[in-house]
Amino acid sequence: MKRLALIALTLLFPLLLQTAASAAVVPSWTYTVDGAFVEWTNSRNDTNVPGDPNNGITGIGSKSLTYLFDGGVMLPAPVTTPGFSTLRWGDYTYSNRNGYVFHNGATTSSISIAPTVGGTLITGGAAVNGLVLSHSNKAIAGDSITLQSGTARAILQLIPQLPGATSLPVFSTTLDFKFFETPNTGSTQQDVFVLMNPEVTQETFHFYGIDYVMDFTKSFSPIPLAYRTLLGLPADAVGWLTSEGVTTTHQTLLSITALPTPEPASAVLMLMGLGGLGMMMRRARRTA
């Protein structure tokens, strides 16, 4: 028994030291973020996805996103999801007799997603530019179909800036949002996008002995009290506001940090503790 314990400690000691010494933090990454609208609901509570008949919200700029991780969970195989880079509304109305009716030349509003390709992300450094959201906010006809809510899928590709490094599997998550068209009078004239699942703004992954946290919580700000009161939103609601009659660009932000890992000295202390525990167990057996 004593010999077995010595062999186990002899093998474990260099293993722990090697693990602690080799777990070096990746200092920087090449990154690409992209996104697409994959689902949307109009003001009649009619929900569509790419491929469905038009429901008064028009998808523009067809694209596909391929990923292997979804919300931190590894999928059995890569998945490709279709979507659009832009959603447009304001040029359809609805009647019980004719259904959705298109009005050529009508004033429209839209929301678009643009990628950031080939940027550098420093571990533990300042947040960098992520997806770019642009809302063209126009005064559309009062009876037109409008956007009510939607889901945008975002993907992130990371390549360690190390010799011979290749890309990590592509990460992905979904951003669920609600959109509120506010009256164009009074002190709350800005329209409001509210992120409904802010918990997705942080995700952890493991790479060669180190845990990293991807974070884009800085992308979204608390909704002001006046708008929360107007719209009946909770106190912790986050999102962004857009001004009437202009195109508002909202820049999302991405950062990455490395979580602390045990130093070699910590491994030695753990081995000493294991050795002490073994001695206590031997003494207990002798006195039994």
Side-chain angles (χ1 to χ4, degrees):
M1 184 70 180
K2 180 178 179 180
R3 184 183 177 191
L4 183 60
L6 287 173
I7 293 174
L9 287 175
T10 302
L11 294 174
L12 186 60
F13 182 76
L15 179 62
L16 287 174
L17 288 181
Q18 180 181 1
T19 300
S22 63
V25 173
V26 176
S28 59
W29 314 72
T30 299
Y31 77 98
T32 294
V33 291
D34 201 357
F37 297 103
V38 297
E39 184 176 296
W40 54 94
T41 300
N42 67 16
S43 49
R44 299 191 67 255
N45 206 33
D46 181 3
T47 299
N48 267 29
V49 297
D52 286 350
N54 192 293
N55 70 338
I57 310 295
T58 302
I60 303 170
S62 178
K63 65 193 307 183
S64 295
L65 304 176
T66 301
Y67 48 93
L68 186 58
F69 279 85
D70 187 6
V73 177
M74 186 174 182
L75 304 173
V79 171
T80 298
T81 298
F84 295 103
S85 59
T86 299
L87 297 179
R88 185 186 69 201
W89 62 94
D91 49 2
Y92 277 85
T93 57
Y94 183 87
S95 70
N96 291 329
R97 179 177 180 179
N98 299 313
Y100 292 103
V101 179
F102 176 68
H103 300 273
N104 189 30
T107 300
T108 60
S109 291
S110 64
I111 176 72
S112 300
I113 295 179
T116 294
V117 179
T120 294
L121 182 60
I122 305 298
T123 302
V128 297
N129 292 341
L131 292 175
V132 181
L133 305 172
S134 299
H135 179 213
S136 176
N137 191 0
K138 303 293 181 63
I140 59 179
D143 61 344
S144 62
I145 296 295
T146 62
L147 181 68
Q148 177 175 281
S149 63
T151 297
R153 180 166 287 281
I155 62 171
L156 169 65
Q157 182 183 46
L158 291 173
I159 303 175
Q161 292 186 346
L162 299 171
T166 57
S167 174
L168 275 65
V170 176
F171 301 95
S172 180
T173 192
T174 53
L175 306 174
D176 299 327
F177 65 89
K178 282 191 175 181
F179 175 64
F180 296 91
E181 294 261 15
T182 60
N184 296 330
T185 58
S187 59
T188 52
Q189 297 186 31
Q190 291 181 295
D191 291 346
V192 183
F193 287 90
V194 180
L195 182 64
M196 303 306 295
N197 58 338
E199 68 277 3
V200 304
T201 56
Q202 281 191 340
E203 189 172 312
T204 301
F205 70 94
H206 189 82
F207 183 70
Y208 279 92
I210 303 290
D211 288 324
Y212 296 88
V213 179
M214 301 177 293
D215 190 329
F216 56 101
T217 54
K218 295 180 180 179
S219 302
F220 308 102
S221 303
I223 303 298
L225 175 60
Y227 287 91
R228 298 203 313 267
T229 302
L230 173 69
L231 303 172
L233 299 174
D236 59 351
V238 296
W240 67 99
L241 307 184
T242 65
S243 299
E244 192 70 35
V246 299
T247 297
T248 300
T249 298
H250 181 76
Q251 178 70 67
T252 65
L253 299 171
L254 172 68
S255 63
I256 188 169
T257 55
L259 297 179
T261 56
E263 297 296 331
S266 301
V268 172
L269 290 174
M270 185 169 67
L271 282 172
M272 292 173 63
L274 289 173
L277 180 60
M279 293 177 64
M280 291 175 62
M281 292 175 65
R282 287 173 57 198
R283 289 176 182 174
R285 283 197 293 268
R286 286 176 180 176
T287 58

